[in-house]
Each structure stands twice: as C-alpha cells, then as structure tokens.
C-alpha cells in the first residue's frame, strides 16, 4: 500500500514541518501570516509546474483542478502582498520531478497539506478573522471537498503504484519534496517582512 508506506516513511518530516510552519500558536500575527503565505507561494510556484510538466492526466490527476497557485495569489493580493512576493528570486534548489512516479511523490506532499489546511483554516478565522473570502483561500483549498479530493488522489496514486511497482521512486520524491519545503521555510533571510 503506497499511501501507508508514504505516511510511515515521511512521518518524521511531517512532524518537523509542523514545528517550522508555526501557524497554530496564539501569538501568530497578520504579518506572520503574510510571510508564511509568501513562503508557500514561492514553494508552489517553483514546484507545481515541475509536477504538472508530467502527463498527470494520463494517471487520473487533473492539474487545473488541483493547482494551488491561484489561491495563493488571491490571498496575497487580498493582503496587498502579491507584488512583493513576485519580486523574490525564484526558488531553484528543488527536486527533479521528471517522471510520473516522482510527480506522484511530490503531489502526495502537496495534496496531503490540504488535510492540515482544514485545522489551520479554523485557527486563522478564530485568531485573525481571515476567511476563504478575505485572504484564507489557500488553506481552505477544496473546502468541503477536501475529503473526497484526498480520496480520489489516494485512488489515483494507488492504481499507479500497483501498475508500476516503483514505490521507492515515489517515496524518495516525497521525501525530497518535504526536504525542499523545509529548506524553503527555514531560509528566513530570503523572505523579508
Ligand atoms: C502547522 C502545520 C500543519 C499541521 C497542523 C498539519 C496537520 C495535519 C493533519 C491534521 C493531517 C491529517 C492527518 C490524518 O488525517 O491522518 C495532516 C496530514 C498531512 N499533512 Fe500536514 N499539517 C501541517 C503542515 C503540513 C505541510 C506544510 C505539509 C506539506 C508541505 C503537510 C503535509 C501533509 C501530508 C502529506 C499529510 C498526509 C499524511 C497521510 O495521511 O499520509 N502538512 N497534516
């Protein structure tokens, strides 16, 4: 089972991210949120196109439905921070995702993040008054469809892995993507407030 393997093999990396992505604490401010979104934007703008340069549609994944860049742009725009974010240097230290298996590994990380997004959305509303309409659309992602979208992704990756027997390649790409994400977030100097 590829999903169980991915969860097990990346558990420590996820735990580490929950510490780095310090959004759940009560001291988290609107400025902190702007910096956080800017980092997500930088990561997704670099990694997402590499994922969807693969023919994911052939494996049951519709890129236009799952792309998250539009939400990040809309949120940054709502905060008046999009122009500044676009001026940042493009992230170059990112994993090579030149096969459907590697694309699935990276997608696991990006689709899985929508699950945590639900918890974060509630927190943002409660502490910063942010809703999907006024700057919180990225973490809200598919809204009430988060569960079904994750289930559909699970079916697609499972069918792919069962047919190709390349679990190691998928898992390695997921690990590399988590690592890339952590580097992008730890590098505070590159994202000025
Ligand atoms: C403070 C930040 C975060 C919190 C609170 C959080 C929380 C969660 C929660 C509650 C789940 C659901 C667990 C379950 O249903 O079994 C989850 C799953 C997941 N999250 Fe996060 N998350 C955070 C950040 C991230 C980030 C930044 C990423 C990736 C870039 C990520 C990737 C994943 C993945 C891949 C899964 C799926 C795990 C699986 O079931 O295989 N998370 N997260």
């Amino acid at each position: 089972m590829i999903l169980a393997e991915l969860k097990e093999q990346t558990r420590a990396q996820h735990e580490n991210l929950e510490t780095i992505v310090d959004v759940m604490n009560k001291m988290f401010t609107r400025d902190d949120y702007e910096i956080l979104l800017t980092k997500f934007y930088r990561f997704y703008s670099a990694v997402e196109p590499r994922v969807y340069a693969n023919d994911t549609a052939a494996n049951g994944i519709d890129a236009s439905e799952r792309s998250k860049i539009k939400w990040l742009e809309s949120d940054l725009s709502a905060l008046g921070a999009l122009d500044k974010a676009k001026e940042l240097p493009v992230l170059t230290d990112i994993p090579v995702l030149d096969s459907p298996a590697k694309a699935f590994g990276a997608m696991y990380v990006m689709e899985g993040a929508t699950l945590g997004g639900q918890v974060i959305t509630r927190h943002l509303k409660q502490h910063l008054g942010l809703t999907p309409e006024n700057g919180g659309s990225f973490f809200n992602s598919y809204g009430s469809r988060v569960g079904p979208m994750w289930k559909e992704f699970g079916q697609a990756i499972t069918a792919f892995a069962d047919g190709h027997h390349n679990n190691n390649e998928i898992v390695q790409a997921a690990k590399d993507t988590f690592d890339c994400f952590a580097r992008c977030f730890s590098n505070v100097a590159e994202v000025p407030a």
Side-chain angles (χ1 to χ4, degrees), residues 146-166:
V146 164
M149 290 294 281
W150 176 248
K151 201 171 163 206
E152 279 171 31
F153 173 73
Q155 287 162 349
I157 194 172
T158 301
F160 177 82
D162 286 351
H164 291 78
H165 309 289
N166 47 3

Side-chain angles (χ1 to χ4, degrees), residues 29-105:
T29 65
R30 210 180 159 90
D31 284 348
D32 294 332
Y33 180 60
E34 185 181 314
I35 294 170
L36 182 76
L37 272 186
T38 302
K39 289 179 180 176
F40 269 96
Y41 177 63
R42 213 162 157 243
F43 175 80
Y44 278 81
S45 342
V47 176
E48 222 184 57
R50 291 223 180 172
V51 168
Y52 295 120
N54 294 278
D55 185 7
T56 57
N59 294 303
I61 298 289
D62 177 352
S64 64
E65 192 185 24
R66 293 189 183 264
S67 169
K68 288 145 190 77
I69 296 175
K70 57 185 183 293
W71 294 322
L72 287 162
E73 289 188 339
S74 143
D75 292 346
L76 284 165
S77 177
L79 298 179
L82 182 58
D83 290 344
K84 203 161 73 172
K86 280 184 184 274
E87 280 165 18
L88 288 169
V90 173
L91 200 65
T92 50
D93 185 11
I94 56 177
V96 175
L97 301 172
D98 58 356
S99 71
K102 289 177 194 156
F104 263 118

Side-chain angles (χ1 to χ4, degrees), residues 135-152:
S137 67
F138 169 71
F139 285 110
N140 186 56
S141 68
Y142 313 119
S144 60
R145 296 216 357 102
V146 164
M149 290 294 281
W150 176 248
K151 201 171 163 206
E152 279 171 31

Side-chain angles (χ1 to χ4, degrees), residues 7 14 17-18 21 23 108-109 112-113 115-116 119-120 150 178 181:
K7 187 167 187 167
H14 185 270
L17 271 197
E18 284 193 38
V21 181
V23 58
Y108 165 75
V109 180
L115 303 177
V119 188
I120 294 170
W150 176 248
F178 263 122
F181 193 92

